[in-house]
Amino acid sequence: LEINPGLRHCGEQIFKHVLNLAQGKNDWHILGHGEKNIKGNPYWSHELINLPHEKYLIFLPLMISRTQDDKGRVRWTFFGGGVKAPEYDFWKSFGSGISSFEFIKAILNMVYSENIVDECSLKAAGFGVLHDETCGIDVDKWAEPFQIDSQGSQIDDLKYLLTFKAFKELPEKIRNRYLDGKLALLPFPGSLVFYGMPSYKKLADELPMGMQIPLQRLVARKCAPGGFRVPQSGWFHEDHPDIDVNEIRKELLEAHYHRTHRFNKVHRHDDELASAQKLNKLINVLFSSEIGSLGLYDKPMARNCQIWDHNYSLLLNGPQADSHSLKKAEKQILGGGLFGYRFFFPPMKTGLYDIYMTIPFAAFLKNENPEFLNGPEGYFSAYVNGQEVQQFRAEFQKRSEMLSALRDFNSQHDHFRHQTALNLYNLLDISRKINIPEATARAIIRVQKGESLSEWEKSLLIRASSPDKAESLISLLNKQLKKDSTPCPAPLTFQYTASRKFELDWWNDIKFLAHGRYVNKDNADCAQDEKTISSVIHYRRDLEHLGDYLIDRHQQTIDEHGMHGEALCGSLPFRWKTDFPFPGFGGWKKSQNGEEAERNILVIIPGRRHDEAVVMGDHYDTAYMEDVYDTSRGGNGARLSANGADDNHSATATLLQALPIFLKLSKAGILERDIWLLHLTGEEFPSDCMGARNFCQALIEKRLKLKVSDGSEKDISSTRIKAVYVMDMIAHNKDSNGDVFQISPGTGDEAFEAAREAHHANLIWNSYAHEWNKAEDRKHAGRGKRVKSNDETPVTALHPQLEGEIRLHHDPHSSLYNTDGQIFSDSGIPVVLIMENYDLNRCGYHDTKDTMENIDLDYGSAVAATAIEAAARMAVLK
């Protein structure tokens, strides 16, 4: 789905630039400023321009890896060219797929119209190999008889010579025969120019993997699904007296950058660059933390950039930089000069190792266009600080019964079919290890309500648009699904939550938190710009007071249930640490000065065993209101915190209502393991999931200590987290697709198991809701309606039938990436996001309308009840 179109997309652009160079055009992307990339380059000679007999066969290895972007999408990403010798990558790339002999045979037959069938006919065709013994690898066994000596004394009868030696270092006899058209060199020698660029070879002495860059520079930035993600690279110029402006090629300057973040309101399956509204000056993107240039969601990006000067001396290796290095690089750049850069997003890792895949593309010129050849599968390498420590073959595990059925599902232009293929593949993968009832499979594939299995099969075929290919898939899937005929189990918590009292208590908690005394609830409050100062109700941050209220409220509930000293409530304080200063934000400044500390808040409800815990979390800070800030929407530029009724007091109220229920289960001895209620701080910008990051890091580093209200500390770092249920926005029922909410697990089997329990809780709710709706207070009720003012309370309504959709981590409709849940998933902690059917463009998200008027009491309280039941079910599992 990604590698084949990615190779073609990058290969086409690379081929175009190589062809331009070979045809005598000034391709400055290869030549560089002042032609520094070819001066002294042994792989390039002007003799190679416009050779009439040349077929321009190109064989170039590309280095790719998996990276994650700001929307949690993990895709193959193009990092550039190979960093080993070109001949090394050629012989190393062949494995159990196509062999090197088959590849050479295909080249001669397709490109040169030979009829090679075996090694004898290859010999008769005049094929030879000139091996570079310094490249670090031997030729394959079949090629040994075809080798010639380094002086080229055996070439009189040769028509084809496979060699990766630099053209200027070839024996004169070989060069002359090639230039005269009597000998074909495979590949085109000019295409290896990237390996000899003295400029980037110098840079590579300081910057690990620096030799990737020359090839990456030829491919434009790309964010769209399908193919490789390509980060931006280029040059920018700040005036300096020592820089000769005549050497600067304007074609290479790329001094602006499209930021991508939630303000663009782009779906995960869309190309965010296509809808980006504003180009930002690159130097501001990299370094500026001034409040006037940050917007609502911007931050300096220098940590994701590698920068060098016009002499190819390294200025900044962002991923390894500290605050001193960042300041030093910024000062040098502001002093003026010509600077090269590439944005760098970390490759996939295992332990300390960066993992790259080297995969070649091969093409030749046919009818003035590149014709691509089926190349070898490549190989994986592990690197530490740019040094290769291990290699392993790129032999992907083949599950033929899946892949044959899924192959035709893919369509780059139809994300729904693409998603169906991915969901099916992952469902089959999970079902091999975890029992999946039919109903859970339906929630993943998302069949229509009321469909029978046969109708589901039919709809699956229609979605696939290739019934013949889907039959084997459906057959395989049906064999693995468990027909769940067991009666629905009794609920653990719905006797407390399926009531009018729970609804009203939950509603009133939201109302108090959203419209009470707590106003400035963003961690950065209060912003120190003139617009904000003149607009705030009072100039203080209210998060401290809100946190105090939550702790006092929980402690009071604990005491009322007679569990003082058994159930614990306290804080997890920490400092707000950043690479760059943010003096425009009062909350940040006070944290640096030690006046205030950020804090997560934690309640521990004891189970029979304390070495495991189920976590139920929210975030208790709120976002800045976009419609107040954005002048194009009538705003005045002020940064004012939203009321946060839905985002995220709907979840905070759920934790407040969950505590007495879990305390009752604890006293009854029902809980197998502890339950933690976790109020996270700093989810919203500019703090950006700060509380979740700090919590996960402390947990992994075994230094998580709860500061209890009496001043003592309890070390809880040895507790294993069984599952985390993060709730974020659970109370707005989407108008166009009602009663749907998402159950979005992170990566890993344990996360899926937690999602399965949440789905079971949903099924239990639905099975009992019919009976609950027969009660006297509901049997004549209708569907719930929103209030028209914050002072109203909705009338009693029917309990809704909820449809919890299990949205796996790659699903474009999963909102895990936009929440604290992503941090838990990235940290390897089993997590499930429970969230409404999120609508990017709705009124009431990060704006002045996030009030009680956008809360759906019947729907939101049902989702809250389901989340509580899910946590309870995980906590009682043996």
Side-chain angles (χ1 to χ4, degrees), residues 108-124:
L108 296 184
N109 291 344
M110 288 184 64
V111 182
Y112 296 97
S113 302
E114 294 285 355
N115 186 26
I116 309 300
V117 294
D118 54 22
E119 293 178 22
C120 292
S121 55
L122 182 61
K123 188 75 171 178

Side-chain angles (χ1 to χ4, degrees), residues 347-419:
M348 56 184 172
K349 298 179 76 74
T350 176
L352 298 175
Y353 305 122
D354 295 330
I355 308 299
Y356 289 95
M357 182 181 183
T358 300
I359 182 169
F361 87 92
F364 66 99
L365 187 63
K366 182 179 181 181
N367 299 327
E368 300 184 357
N369 290 303
E371 179 81 8
F372 288 87
L373 298 160
N374 291 326
E377 65 267 34
Y379 65 96
F380 283 103
S381 294
Y383 289 83
V384 176
N385 295 326
Q387 299 298 314
E388 186 182 63
V389 295
Q390 187 179 358
Q391 296 175 350
F392 39 103
R393 187 63 64 190
E395 295 169 358
F396 293 106
Q397 184 176 6
K398 294 177 175 62
R399 294 177 175 168
S400 57
E401 73 274 20
M402 290 189 207
L403 297 177
S404 62
L406 291 174
R407 188 175 295 119
D408 289 345
F409 278 40
N410 178 46
S411 170
Q412 294 182 48
H413 306 292
D414 185 344
H415 77 273
F416 185 80
R417 289 178 62 206
H418 187 172
Q419 186 54 46

Side-chain angles (χ1 to χ4, degrees), residues 615-639:
V615 180
M616 196 174 184
D618 70 344
H619 70 84
Y620 67 98
D621 59 308
T622 69
Y624 286 139
M625 295 183 283
E626 294 175 359
D627 54 345
V628 172
Y629 174 80
D630 188 356
T631 55
S632 68
R633 297 168 62 181
N636 68 355
R639 291 171 168 84

Side-chain angles (χ1 to χ4, degrees), residues 570-589:
S571 62
L572 302 166
F574 60 92
R575 292 293 175 194
W576 188 351
K577 297 178 181 179
T578 59
D579 290 324
F580 291 85
F582 293 91
F585 295 115
W588 181 88
K589 284 182 67 175

Side-chain angles (χ1 to χ4, degrees), residues 438 442 447-460 478 483:
E438 178 189 321
R442 290 170 179 268
V447 298
Q448 297 300 312
K449 296 178 181 178
E451 286 184 355
S452 67
L453 188 60
S454 60
E455 289 172 329
W456 173 50
E457 292 176 353
K458 182 179 178 182
S459 69
L460 187 62
N478 284 338
K483 308 299 182 186

